Amino acid sequence: MKKLMIAAMMLVGTSTAFAGDSDALKAILKTKTYAEAESLVKSSLSQLASNAEKAKAYNQLVKLAIESFDKENGISVQNEAFKQMGKEVEQYDTLNLYNSAYNALMNAIECDKYDNMPDAKGKIKPKFHDELLQKIPNARIQLVNGGQWAASKSNDEGVLKYWGTFLDTEDCDLLKSIDKSNESGYLGQVAYFTALYANQNKQIDRALKYLEIAMKDPEQAKEAQNMKFTIGQQNLKTQADTLKFIDELKVFYANNSDSEAAFGTLCNLYSQMNKKDEVMKLVNDKISRDPNNGTAWALKGQSEMNEQKYEEAIESFKKSVEIDGTNAVVLTYLGFCMNSKAAGIEGNIPAQKALYKESMTYLERAKELDPNRDKANWAYPLYQCYYINYSANDPRTKELENMLK
């Protein structure tokens, strides 16, 4: 009896050890199209017997996606050669090309995840990793073109899908070992523009994530930092939020005193909270360290203008304009302050008209830079200048009068 029991146990052990694929996996492996395989994997994943089976199932999805990708990509590459030779190109499914690249990448990551999980004995024996590394990098790079194509179609969802996935998988476990040095020429740019799309679509966390990538690129760092601070300001809901954000900015600015974005944002936040002394302290400190900083002089002039110190404001704005005369807002503020000073002159019409005439030169420059008044409302102060210097009935005055109605 004892021998029979041992034999029975051995039989059970043999049956388990050499068990074949489950019926659910067999059905998945028989599929001929990606859509069919994807539907089965979604509906029967929990029925798969082990991590190894799940890895096989996802590998089947990768296989079918790559087949579709290779077909479309092959035609695309062939067409480029045909264009050079002046031959007629063959039509292909662009959307399917990029979706297949996306599907191949995402399923490869899932396949690799299960492939690197321990088996029943606690051992990790990946079977698909090397094969995946041969197939996936080229498909992933195509997502860069996919995002550009989606952008040309005004398809924000597609942009975030393709560019976002390209960025999100930069450091995924599957691709850690491959050389990505060739991506350095465009990674930061892709990250910056993806952040723009994410922010426009109210996906703030994604936008901030991509900006962190963009800030590592010297060519994108300044714009990315500016955008990060802008997003931070836009999402302040309470005074506590504002104070916390100011504290974070102060720490950053202390270690990055050359950051125009941090400087401007801090000044703006202090102004909103009516902390005039803090604004002037920041501005004066900036000017003492960098006398040729046009932004600092402009902010100084703005603070002085708000306090109706027009003489001082005119001097500060003029210094800003000397450094950079392309800011329509600063030119308009300068004209406004000169008009305000002129209006206060009593008993000296020639001096008053001369000041309005000087103001007019700055305001006309603002008009040239911002003709639609998108940034600066130069129309009314310029109307004042024309009214004083040319009369109420002058065509130039009338044109502005009509604009102001």
Side-chain angles (χ1 to χ4, degrees):
M1 178 63 71
K2 189 174 182 180
K3 290 181 179 180
L4 286 174
M5 288 178 65
I6 293 173
M9 289 174 65
M10 289 178 63
L11 182 61
V12 172
T14 302
S15 175
T16 303
F18 294 100
D21 294 336
S22 66
D23 290 340
L25 179 59
K26 286 177 182 177
I28 292 168
L29 296 180
K30 287 178 182 178
T31 54
K32 301 297 182 184
T33 67
Y34 179 83
E36 182 186 3
E38 182 184 40
S39 178
L40 281 176
V41 170
K42 285 181 177 179
S43 63
S44 60
L45 186 65
S46 62
Q47 299 171 34
L48 299 179
S50 63
N51 291 328
E53 284 208 341
K54 290 173 183 176
K56 281 185 182 181
Y58 280 106
N59 188 60
Q60 176 70 358
L61 287 173
V62 174
K63 175 188 169 186
L64 294 170
I66 284 292
E67 286 176 0
S68 179
F69 169 76
D70 285 343
K71 175 187 173 184
E72 308 293 355
N73 192 47
I75 299 172
S76 174
V77 172
Q78 173 187 276
N79 283 350
E80 290 302 315
F82 281 2
K83 287 177 185 177
Q84 297 295 323
M85 295 184 286
K87 291 186 177 181
E88 186 177 347
V89 298
E90 181 181 347
Q91 294 298 314
Y92 67 96
D93 190 337
T94 310
L95 179 60
N96 188 46
L97 168 66
Y98 298 129
N99 275 344
S100 295
Y102 171 85
N103 291 334
L105 173 59
M106 299 307 291
N107 287 295
I109 291 172
E110 286 298 296
C111 175
D112 193 60
K113 179 182 77 175
Y114 287 111
D115 201 28
N116 281 279
M117 287 183 178
D119 59 20
K121 297 180 180 180
K123 294 183 179 180
I124 298 176
K125 298 178 181 179
K127 295 180 180 179
F128 302 109
H129 185 82
D130 292 342
E131 183 183 346
L132 293 172
L133 285 182
Q134 296 299 316
K135 298 177 179 178
I136 297 307
N138 185 43
R140 176 175 172 270
I141 291 296
Q142 280 293 340
L143 295 181
V144 177
N145 294 328
Q148 193 168 356
W149 173 79
S152 73
K153 304 292 183 183
S154 300
N155 180 357
D156 290 13
E157 185 179 347
V159 170
L160 291 170
K161 176 180 178 179
Y162 300 131
W163 278 349
T165 300
F166 171 75
L167 296 167
D168 292 341
T169 57
E170 179 72 10
D171 294 321
C172 70
D173 290 340
L174 172 62
L175 302 174
K176 275 184 178 177
S177 63
I178 68 169
D179 180 16
K180 302 188 190 73
S181 57
N182 62 321
E183 297 177 12
S184 61
Y186 53 85
L187 182 66
Q189 188 175 26
V190 171
Y192 176 70
F193 283 108
T194 310
L196 284 175
Y197 277 91
N199 186 46
Q200 289 168 9
N201 286 273
K202 311 299 181 186
Q203 298 182 29
I204 306 304
D205 289 342
R206 291 185 77 182
L208 293 173
K209 174 183 176 182
Y210 300 143
L211 287 173
E212 290 297 328
I213 298 173
M215 284 189 290
K216 295 175 184 177
D217 182 345
E219 293 186 9
Q220 302 296 327
K222 182 178 179 180
E223 290 298 323
Q225 189 71 70
N226 287 346
M227 185 178 171
K228 182 180 178 182
F229 291 144
T230 299
I231 290 174
Q233 282 183 270
Q234 289 173 345
N235 290 279
L236 298 175
K237 295 181 174 63
T238 66
Q239 186 175 19
D241 289 340
T242 303
L243 292 172
K244 181 181 177 183
F245 188 53
I246 286 175
D247 286 341
E248 291 173 359
L249 273 176
K250 285 167 64 177
V251 171
F252 177 86
Y253 186 56
N255 296 310
N256 301 271
S257 58
D258 59 339
S259 173
E260 293 295 308
F263 169 67
T265 305
L266 271 173
C267 288
N268 185 45
L269 289 171
Y270 280 140
S271 294
Q272 290 176 7
M273 299 180 74
N274 202 32
K275 295 187 176 228
K276 299 175 184 177
D277 292 342
E278 282 84 349
V279 174
M280 291 310 297
K281 184 178 183 303
L282 270 173
V283 167
N284 289 328
D285 178 65
K286 187 75 169 178
I287 290 172
S288 68
R289 287 185 290 104
D290 183 8
N292 291 317
N293 189 289
T295 302
W297 282 112
L299 289 169
K300 186 174 188 294
Q302 188 174 347
S303 293
E304 291 161 341
M305 177 183 69
N306 291 338
E307 294 182 14
Q308 299 183 2
K309 297 177 180 179
Y310 296 123
E311 193 78 49
E312 294 92 330
I314 290 168
E315 185 179 342
S316 296
F317 283 134
K318 280 186 173 181
K319 287 181 179 178
S320 179
V321 170
E322 286 173 9
I323 297 164
D324 178 12
T326 63
N327 190 314
V329 174
V330 175
L331 290 163
T332 300
Y333 283 164
L334 174 54
F336 170 81
C337 289
M338 297 181 84
N339 287 7
S340 298
K341 180 183 175 183
I345 296 175
E346 296 181 2
N348 192 341
I349 300 299
Q352 190 179 53
K353 292 184 79 169
L355 199 51
Y356 275 117
K357 194 166 187 177
E358 184 184 359
S359 170
M360 187 165 62
T361 63
Y362 295 111
L363 292 165
E364 286 178 337
R365 201 188 310 175
K367 178 183 177 183
E368 289 175 10
L369 291 166
D370 186 22
N372 296 319
R373 295 179 289 170
D374 293 325
K375 297 177 180 178
N377 192 9
W378 43 261
Y380 183 71
L382 186 56
Y383 167 78
Q384 290 178 308
C385 295
Y386 285 171
Y387 188 94
I388 296 297
N389 283 284
Y390 299 141
S391 82
N393 294 320
D394 187 274
R396 289 163 290 192
T397 310
K398 286 293 184 183
E399 180 186 1
L400 285 177
E401 184 178 352
N402 292 330
M403 187 183 293
L404 292 168
K405 288 179 179 177

